[in-house]
Every structure is written in structure tokens, then in C-alpha cells.
Amino acid sequence: MSAIVEEHSNHGTPKGLQRWLFTTNHKDIGTLYLLFSLTMFLIGGAMAMVIRAELFQPGLQLVDPHFFNQMTTVHGLIMVFGAVMPAFTGLANWMIPMMIGAPDMALPRMNNWSFWILPFAFAILLMSLFLEGGGPAFGWTFYAPLSTTYSNDNTAFFVFSVHIMGISSIMGAINVIVTIVNLRAPGMTWMKLPLFVWTWLITAFLLIAVMPVLAGAVTMVLTDKFFGTSFFDAAGGGDPVMFQHIFWFFGHPEVYIMILPAFGIISTIVPTFSRKKLFGYASMVYATASIALLSFVVWAHHMFTTGMPLAGELFFMYATMLISVPTGVKVFNWVATMWRGAISFEVPMLFSIAFIVLFTIGGFSGLMLAITPADFQYHDTYFVVAHFHYVLVTGAVFSIMAAAYYWLPKWTGNMFDIKLAKLHFWLSLVSVNVLFFPMHFVGLAGMPRRIPDYALQFADFNAIISIGGFAFGLSQLLFVAVVYKCAKGGEQVPGKVWDGAEGLEWEVPSPAPYHTFSTPPEVK
Amino acid sequence: MQHGRLLRKLLLLTLGMFAFAFALVPLYDVFCDVTGLNGKPSMKVAEQSEAIIDSRQVEVSFTTHSQGHAPFKVDAAQHFVSVQPGKLTDVKFIAKNISDSDRILQAIPSVSPGKAAKYLHKMACFCFDQQPMKGKEEVEFVLRFYVDTELPDDVEELTLSYTLFDITERVSQTQNVQLGQLVALKEF
């Protein structure tokens, strides 16, 4: 095999646009995914700014309610499917082959496809915003009958774009699994896999298990809306509550798809800057697997107020609370890793520590929401918004930032502007809490989510939240600046960028050559 | 490398999960049927009961409501009846199309408490069929039902609720039939 790869590396890289369009190189595709995700993050962020600008004051100021609904819907869709998931796929493409000593992903041509259909999916989705009647306005969860009876005909574009996104992530997941199963370097046994690889392997199985279910759900919405079926229409013998069951059967594993790779990243970074081995490696692997398995039996905790019988409410309450056990194992393991370590606070470590603290806050509000009787009050309020933004922004997004700062020197060969990066971290940390923490209070006080106007007593808190929102949004431009500067130049870094770092990716030079591990390394 | 074999297995798993999404639809109905979770009673004509329990009285009440802007008004002649399990009872419903145009009514029954749903048997119900009605037309429907003798003891009263849907557009869209024809057909 090494002969083939060597021959391949001699043909020279195509230049210009063609290099990126036809590339089958895992590093190129990883870069494409990451840049795409950053673009989507900024677009979705701009939509969040529109939402926060409208909510800055009570009353209707800037946008009409229908447009507001499109903003909340498309913000959610873009951040979930356009920003967080492609960012993790990009990291997987870049890092998994280098971490397991493989020359590339196992299915490079499919890899090219799984990236290049994504821009089309989001072009379709964003384009629908400009069509007559506007884009999807039924929330990212597209509950029937909002998405069937009460939506406009542009819903077809939404459905097709979700189909394409789904196909893309399924192909990405298949590639990850085949790569990890077949291309590990000799001696890289299962229990020697870096945790990022482990978490991604499990995530990939989750993706294959639930993305097709999402595809089924949108297909049913499509046929209900345009072809006269009645999956979700009671008048035709269907059941709108069934939509929620099918959606959340996808939706709950989906939230773990967005957090398990984050666990892998944090488990990689914390040992590096604590200069200790990760505490409880095996328990981390088992905890990840049990979170993934449990994620299939908790979906109805999103539906406590739909009129489930008591037995159902109790089952889903206890099953949900059970998930906090393996999650707690992880948090304690990270803390134990830091315990008595020689900690230094480089930028990736700052983001990781912020992740551990703030993700845990999001986990606690999740536990509160899991309590069925309490959930009846919290349901559909800003408390829920606060909860899932703590786990997704200060959780998933912070972990992606940490990963970017951790591996950026390896990718570019240059150290990033540390001062600017630290400024980015501190501004983000403060503003993200100004943005999301008060949401807990307005939520508990009863402010409903997805509403463009609110009662006067929430005015002060909303003004504070909006200021935090603008500050957080603008701070992310610093991240763009750091990445741009780092790609352009900077202090040269050695192969092993960080003192305490371990893993095969640090044994290749920085920047990582176009082809790495053409001859598999021996892992002891 | 045996990428191909693993790839095929994973693709098969993907297709399987796509099929599973659709399998969830009948599974959901079966699950609800067995557990009686969502109060959906059977939409089929029931067999007559063989036994009647004289010693027990169950109170059955009736409510109706229009979904959205469905232009129908349906009222039970008696809002509640007291019945013996197993005994057939007829209840009259007066239905009116309050719009000026011809519309098709579909009533969807639901029983509360949910676990009682499978013990309410209907031998005749206007909900079994689509009901085309002319503008301003008033019709009398008869519901013939009995409560199963196996009804759990802790259920002393139950409510049969009808949600009224205007399915005129849905029918003309899917079956491509003129509404006038349907109304005419009914008059034969």
C-alpha cells in the first residue's frame, strides 16, 4: 500500500479551485468542512443577532413576527446542521487518520462527495428565505401540523435541504467507521485509541442510527403536505403527537451527536496541559458508550406536556436522570485529571476549563428539566433556551474553539496570536454568560420562547441578554482574525507543539505534510 | 482491505433505519392499541356484546369541538347517558353545516380516560365515514355503542369526544372528485 501512496504523492497537487473541488485528501476536506462550518456559524450568528435586536425592547420594532419565526427556525437549523456537526466532521477528517496512523480516510472519494453536497443543502435552505412567502418558520423541530397544514409551499425546499444534509452526515459517519475499524496502525488496539477517536466512532454509529429516521420524518412531512398522506393528520387517521415521537427519537440522540466528540476533545486537551495521563481512560470509553445507548430511551422527555400517562412520564424522567451518571463520570474524570497536575493555562486549556464548568451548568439545568412536574412549568420557556445554549454554545462550540486552538499550529505550522486569542476567550466567556445566564431567570418567570414580543416585566433582563448577545457575536470576529493571521504566518512551531501532548499527530512535522503515515507507524 | 464489506453493512444499516422510521407508524398504533395510551378508540364496526352486567352503571358523556375553522356544529341530544356494560345504547347527534357551501365532515373520536378507549365499542357511528353536507344542511346521526363488560372497575365515567374536521380540500385534492358528486351520491 505504501508504494501506491508514494506514487500518488508524486503527481503533484492540483492548483487553484480544482484542488479543493476534486480533492480526496483528508486534510483538504477537513479544512473545507471547518471553513464551511465557520461561515455557517457566522451566518447563523447573524440571525441570532436579528433575534436579539428584536427582543432588545418589548413590542415589535425591527422585523415582523413571520420573519422573526424564520430567523429562530433557520438559526437553529444552521447552527445544528451547518455549524456544529460539520465542524466535528472537519475535525474528524483532519485528526482521525493522523491519530490512528492511517494515510487517509478509508473512502476518500465518498469523503469528497459528503462535503461538496453540503453547500448545496444550505444554499437551498438560505435561498428559501428570499422566496415569496419566506423560508421555514415552524421552528427547527418542524412539528406537525405547523410544518404540514400551516406552512407554505417553500417547505419542499426545507425538506430537500434536510435530506441532503442527512445524506452528507451519513456518508461522513460511514467513512469514519470504516477508517477506524480498518485503518488503525499496527499495535493500535481498541483500548489504545485516543478518546477523540473513540467518541467519534460512537457518534458515527449514532448518526447512522438516527439520521435516516430524520430523513423519514421529513419525507412524511413532505408527503403529508403535498401528496395527501395523513401520517400526522388526525382527520385522515394519523396522529400529530406521533410526529413528536419520531422527531425526538432522532432528536435526542442528535444532541449527543453534538456533544460526544466534544467530550473527546476535552479528554485530549485536559491531560496535555495538566501534564498527566487522562484519569480513568476505560471508564471514559464505557461512559461514552452508555450515554449513546441511553440516548435512545429518553426521547419523550421533550414531550412531558403532550399528555402522556403517568407510567410514561416516570419512565422517561428516571431514564433521563440516569444519563447524568455516565456524564458525571466524565466530569469527575476531567477534574481528577487536573488534580495535582502541573497545569498551564494555554488558550485551548482555557476553553476546556470553561467547557467543564459551563457544560456542567447546562447539565444541571437539564436535570431540572428532567423532573416531570417541574418541566410542566419550564416547558417552552427561556429556561429551556438557556439550558440548551449552555450545552451547545459553552459546550459544543467552546470545545470546537478549544480544538481549533489546540490543533491550529499543527495545521498551519504557525503559532496563533496568543494575545488576540486570549482576548477572544475572555470576551467570549464573559459575554456568553451575560447572554445566556439571565435567560434562566426570565424563563423561570414565565417568558415563552420563540415569541417576538414579551411582557414588560422582562424588559430589563432582555436588554442585558441582547447586549451579551451582541458582545458574544462580535467577539467571534476575533476568532476569524486569529485563524486568518495564523494561516498567513506567525512564529514557527515544532512537530510537538505542546509539551505535554501525546499522540501520533505530534510525531509528524508542523505543518502536517500533505500525506502523512504513508508507511504505518508501529504503536507500542 | 475489506472496506467494501463493512461499507455494505453500514449502508444496509442506514436503509434499515430509514425503513424503521416508517415502521414506527404502525408500531406507534399497535403500541397505543395495546396500552391504550392515547385514547384512540377503534374505527371499526364492533360485534354485539354477549353479556350485560345489570349491577353496574357507567356514565358516558359526549362532547364535540371543531378543529380550526371547520364550519360544523354537532351536538349530542343527550350530553350524558348512564349505561350498563354490554347494553346497546343509541344516542342522537344533530349535525349542521353552518357555512353556505358544500363541505365534507370527518369526525375523529377520542376517549378519556385513555385506558378506557378499547372498552368503548361502536356498532354505528358517523365517524366511520366521511359525511358530505350541503350548505346550511342539518342532519341527524345515530351513534350506537356499548361499554365492554371487561371495563376496569376504577373507571366510573368516561367521555367520548369528537373532533370535527373539514376535509373538503383534502378529499377533492386526493380523490379528484367533485364535491357535488359526493353530495349527490349520498342522496341516492
Side-chain angles (χ1 to χ4, degrees):
Chain A
M1 185 182 68
S2 63
I4 300 169
V5 176
E6 260 158 45
E7 195 185 306
H8 180 73
S9 61
N10 289 336
H11 65 66
T13 322
K15 296 279 175 278
L17 188 65
Q18 289 209 338
R19 165 182 171 183
W20 299 103
L21 216 51
F22 300 139
T23 185
T24 54
N25 179 285
H26 73 104
K27 299 187 183 75
D28 280 353
I29 294 172
T31 305
L32 285 171
Y33 264 114
L34 288 167
L35 290 177
F36 176 78
S37 146
L38 183 58
T39 314
M40 284 297 136
F41 181 60
L42 295 175
I43 294 175
M47 292 174 181
M49 302 275 231
V50 173
I51 296 169
R52 282 323 316 174
E54 176 57 49
L55 292 173
F56 188 69
Q57 286 185 319
L60 297 176
Q61 275 84 235
L62 301 171
V63 294
D64 70 277
H66 182 60
F67 188 72
F68 183 89
N69 290 345
Q70 294 173 48
M71 286 294 104
T72 52
T73 304
V74 183
H75 164 75
L77 288 167
I78 287 205
M79 288 309 200
V80 169
F81 296 105
V84 174
M85 289 168 65
F88 283 136
T89 316
L91 291 169
N93 262 292
W94 248 105
M95 301 320 298
I96 288 177
M98 277 163 67
M99 284 177 154
I100 62 173
D104 204 311
M105 295 295 276
L107 308 159
R109 288 199 180 84
M110 188 166 90
N111 208 10
N112 174 290
W113 268 100
S114 49
F115 173 75
W116 275 111
I117 59 175
L118 261 192
F120 293 93
F122 285 91
I124 292 172
L125 180 66
L126 289 171
M127 177 202 71
S128 73
L129 287 172
F130 298 100
L131 295 177
E132 197 182 329
F138 28 70
W140 86 277
T141 52
F142 61 102
Y143 276 13
L146 292 177
S147 56
T148 52
T149 314
Y150 301 104
S151 64
N152 61 33
D153 285 351
N154 298 342
T155 305
F157 291 109
F158 157 80
V159 170
F160 292 138
S161 76
V162 171
H163 274 147
I164 302 173
M165 293 169 204
I167 292 169
S168 163
S169 25
I170 290 167
M171 291 201 294
I174 289 178
N175 217 337
V176 165
I177 295 175
V178 179
T179 306
I180 298 173
V181 173
N182 285 352
L183 292 187
R184 278 168 295 131
M188 176 73 78
T189 54
W190 286 109
M191 289 318 260
K192 277 187 194 161
L193 279 188
L195 258 171
F196 180 68
V197 180
W198 253 121
T199 51
W200 238 111
L201 180 68
I202 292 166
T203 304
F205 275 107
L206 284 183
L207 277 165
I208 291 182
V210 301
M211 288 311 279
V213 177
L214 173 70
V218 289
T219 309
M220 291 180 214
V221 164
L222 185 78
T223 58
D224 262 20
K225 181 155 183 61
F226 295 101
F227 303 110
T229 57
S230 7
F231 288 107
F232 309 128
D233 185 358
D239 192 332
V241 176
M242 186 180 69
F243 173 86
Q244 298 184 30
H245 282 289
I246 296 176
F247 178 82
W248 287 113
F249 184 83
F250 145 80
H252 204 77
E254 167 69 16
V255 305
Y256 292 110
I257 287 166
M258 291 191 284
I259 204 64
L260 293 185
F263 291 165
I265 290 164
I266 302 305
S267 306
T268 312
I269 294 176
V270 168
T272 299
F273 298 105
S274 307
R275 289 161 185 84
K276 276 174 67 191
K277 282 241 177 284
L278 180 71
F279 185 88
Y281 171 90
S283 68
M284 285 298 215
V285 174
Y286 296 130
T288 310
S290 28
I291 293 174
L293 288 176
L294 284 172
S295 75
F296 286 102
V297 292
V298 296
W299 77 89
H301 66 213
H302 298 268
M303 306 168 51
F304 280 147
T305 58
T306 54
M308 265 191 290
L310 187 63
E313 310 248 3
L314 287 175
F315 171 79
F316 286 108
M317 174 168 88
Y318 291 131
T320 305
M321 292 183 161
L322 200 59
I323 292 193
S324 61
V325 176
T327 315
V329 167
K330 287 183 165 290
V331 173
F332 284 120
N333 279 349
W334 292 322
V335 175
T337 307
M338 287 193 281
W339 178 253
R340 295 198 168 162
I343 302 180
S344 55
F345 297 96
E346 277 87 349
V347 182
M349 185 63 166
L350 290 174
F351 271 101
S352 300
I353 295 173
F355 171 97
I356 296 172
V357 175
L358 298 175
F359 173 78
T360 306
I361 293 179
F364 280 140
S365 56
L367 268 175
M368 290 170 71
L369 287 161
I371 303 167
T372 308
D375 181 76
F376 273 66
Q377 183 180 346
Y378 307 154
H379 184 84
D380 255 345
T381 66
Y382 260 82
F383 191 79
V384 179
V385 179
H387 158 69
F388 68 72
H389 280 93
Y390 262 88
V391 288
L392 286 177
V393 179
T394 60
V397 173
F398 268 34
S399 82
I400 293 164
M401 296 287 178
Y405 282 122
Y406 187 59
W407 285 306
L408 201 53
K410 171 57 65 186
W411 299 334
T412 61
N414 308 318
M415 183 49 78
F416 48 83
D417 183 337
I418 293 175
K419 263 200 182 136
L420 206 56
K422 283 200 169 161
L423 185 66
H424 169 229
F425 169 74
W426 286 110
L427 281 176
S428 298
L429 180 73
V430 173
S431 59
V432 85
N433 283 291
V434 175
L435 166 57
F436 294 123
F437 208 80
M439 286 187 183
H440 290 113
F441 305 128
V442 287
L444 290 180
M447 179 169 159
R449 60 188 283 215
R450 291 171 170 155
I451 303 284
D453 188 10
Y454 48 84
L456 290 178
Q457 69 265 33
F458 304 128
D460 291 347
F461 267 137
N462 270 286
I464 296 170
I465 292 169
S466 287
I467 291 168
F470 298 138
F472 182 72
L474 293 174
S475 308
Q476 303 321 305
L477 297 178
L478 287 176
F479 178 70
V480 179
V482 173
V483 172
Y484 181 77
K485 275 182 76 178
C486 185
K488 284 284 156 199
E491 191 199 328
Q492 299 289 306
V493 289
K496 189 169 180 175
V497 179
W498 314 103
D499 288 341
E502 276 187 35
L504 289 175
E505 77 261 39
W506 307 108
E507 286 171 20
V508 299
S510 304
Y514 201 58
H515 295 290
T516 39
F517 297 123
S518 305
T519 322
E522 193 72 40
V523 181
K524 276 161 226 120
Chain B
M1 292 288 150
Q2 318 92 344
H3 292 339
R5 280 175 57 196
L6 186 55
L7 178 66
R8 267 194 297 278
K9 276 184 204 158
L10 293 171
L11 283 176
L12 212 65
L13 183 64
T14 306
L15 289 178
M17 288 310 293
F18 186 68
F20 177 70
F22 288 88
L24 280 172
V25 178
L27 278 176
Y28 177 82
D29 281 341
V30 169
F31 187 76
C32 289
D33 246 22
V34 172
T35 55
L37 287 190
N38 65 351
K40 241 194 223 173
S42 162
M43 291 290 269
K44 293 199 178 72
V45 181
E47 303 266 319
Q48 197 169 342
S49 176
E50 285 159 8
I52 297 175
I53 301 177
D54 296 325
S55 55
R56 191 174 165 198
Q57 292 284 333
V58 182
E59 202 155 278
V60 183
S61 21
F62 308 96
T63 70
T64 61
H65 78 273
S66 295
Q67 172 70 26
H69 300 291
F72 302 109
K73 204 169 148 45
V74 179
D75 280 310
Q78 300 151 277
H79 285 292
F80 65 88
V81 290
S82 194
V83 297
Q84 292 159 339
K87 194 176 172 196
L88 274 181
T89 310
D90 284 354
V91 176
K92 271 186 205 150
F93 282 80
I94 317 291
K96 190 171 181 199
N97 174 359
I98 53 177
S99 75
D100 294 322
S101 54
D102 299 351
R103 316 298 302 177
I104 304 174
L105 162 73
Q106 171 73 62
I108 300 290
S110 166
V111 172
S112 175
K115 65 173 176 182
K118 60 179 171 183
Y119 300 102
L120 188 96
H121 302 293
K122 298 184 287 296
M123 296 186 61
C125 177
F126 52 99
C127 62
F128 291 161
D129 304 297
Q130 301 173 348
Q131 304 289 349
M133 294 168 81
K134 285 185 175 165
K136 299 283 178 208
E137 191 188 7
E138 204 174 282
V139 199
E140 200 181 279
F141 296 130
V142 175
L143 164 72
R144 171 170 294 177
F145 76 98
Y146 67 91
V147 175
D148 201 296
T149 49
E150 310 269 296
L151 182 75
D153 285 337
D154 57 332
V155 181
E156 288 165 8
E157 51 183 29
L158 48 93
T159 305
L160 174 57
S161 155
Y162 286 106
T163 308
L164 311 171
F165 289 90
D166 178 2
I167 56 164
T168 317
E169 269 85 42
R170 157 187 285 280
V171 171
S172 55
Q173 238 175 38
T174 54
Q175 300 178 355
N176 226 353
V177 197
Q178 293 298 310
L179 183 60
Q181 286 177 323
L182 265 174
V183 177
L185 207 68
K186 186 186 134 203
E187 279 170 359
F188 265 112

